[in-house]
Amino acid sequence: MSKSRFTIRQLTLAAIIAAVYTALTTLLPIPQYGGVQLRVAEAMTVLPFFFPEAIAGLTVGCFLSNLLLSPIPMDWIFGTAATLLAALWTRRMPNKYLAPLPPVICNAVIVGGEIALFFSEGSAFWPAFALNAFTVGLGEAIACFVLGLLLLQVLPRVPGLRPYLRQA
């Protein structure tokens, strides 16, 4: 497997992950933007623990979702950057129980800060940041530590995926 190029299998997996992330984000009728949000698709942010291709897939999926639905153009950049950083960091986690931590931290800090910056002025930034970091982080923790860990438990049980999973 070449490190400089994607194989057809890797590109296909990244595209499927991007499509599923985008579909879950755009089609589910739950709050997925703003200070209080729960993106079910964020459960997928643990996938880089097993699949490096998920880094590209999640980044593209998040960008497309934000481009299509986010009322904040800053989110197209910073929300996507939070997902990219979280995916890169998740790939380096030593065990699957820590894999949900990077998305929670990255989104709480970056997206919480982005929302606070967009909706507050002057000295109101820090209280707004604290509130938004908490609420975004809470929604992210639910998605990643509940649904994401469940995903990490189930994937190794799928016989067809076993040869492609990182041993952990």
Side-chain angles (χ1 to χ4, degrees):
M1 179 161 46
S2 173
K3 291 199 180 250
S4 63
R5 294 178 18 173
F6 268 65
T7 65
I8 296 297
R9 184 194 69 80
Q10 291 170 315
L11 187 59
T12 302
L13 180 57
I16 290 168
I17 290 170
V20 171
Y21 184 100
T22 303
L24 286 173
T25 302
T26 58
L27 298 176
L28 290 178
I30 55 177
Q32 300 190 61
Y33 291 95
V36 177
Q37 55 182 270
L38 176 63
R39 275 194 189 184
V40 173
E42 286 293 303
M44 297 174 65
T45 60
V46 300
L47 290 178
F49 181 78
F50 283 140
F51 307 104
E53 303 87 354
I55 296 168
L58 291 166
T59 303
V60 170
C62 181
F63 177 74
L64 289 173
S65 298
N66 291 343
L67 186 63
L68 292 170
L69 295 176
S70 179
I72 306 172
M74 276 193 317
D75 201 27
W76 305 345
I77 297 166
F78 294 106
T80 303
T83 297
L84 174 61
L85 290 173
L88 291 168
W89 188 8
T90 298
R91 181 69 185 154
R92 297 183 168 275
M93 287 289 101
N95 66 62
K96 65 183 172 187
Y97 301 104
L98 293 175
L101 195 56
V104 174
I105 293 170
C106 290
N107 280 282
V109 172
I110 296 171
V111 176
E114 169 197 329
I115 294 169
L117 186 63
F118 190 77
F119 290 110
S120 66
E121 293 181 18
S123 63
F125 172 80
W126 291 109
F129 171 73
L131 176 65
N132 285 295
F134 174 75
T135 59
V136 169
L138 181 61
E140 192 75 13
I142 292 167
C144 294
F145 278 101
V146 176
L147 300 174
L149 277 178
L150 181 63
L151 191 58
L152 290 179
Q153 293 289 351
V154 170
L155 287 176
R157 296 179 184 165
V158 177
L161 293 178
R162 285 188 195 136
Y164 303 107
L165 297 177
R166 171 175 114 176
Q167 299 303 313

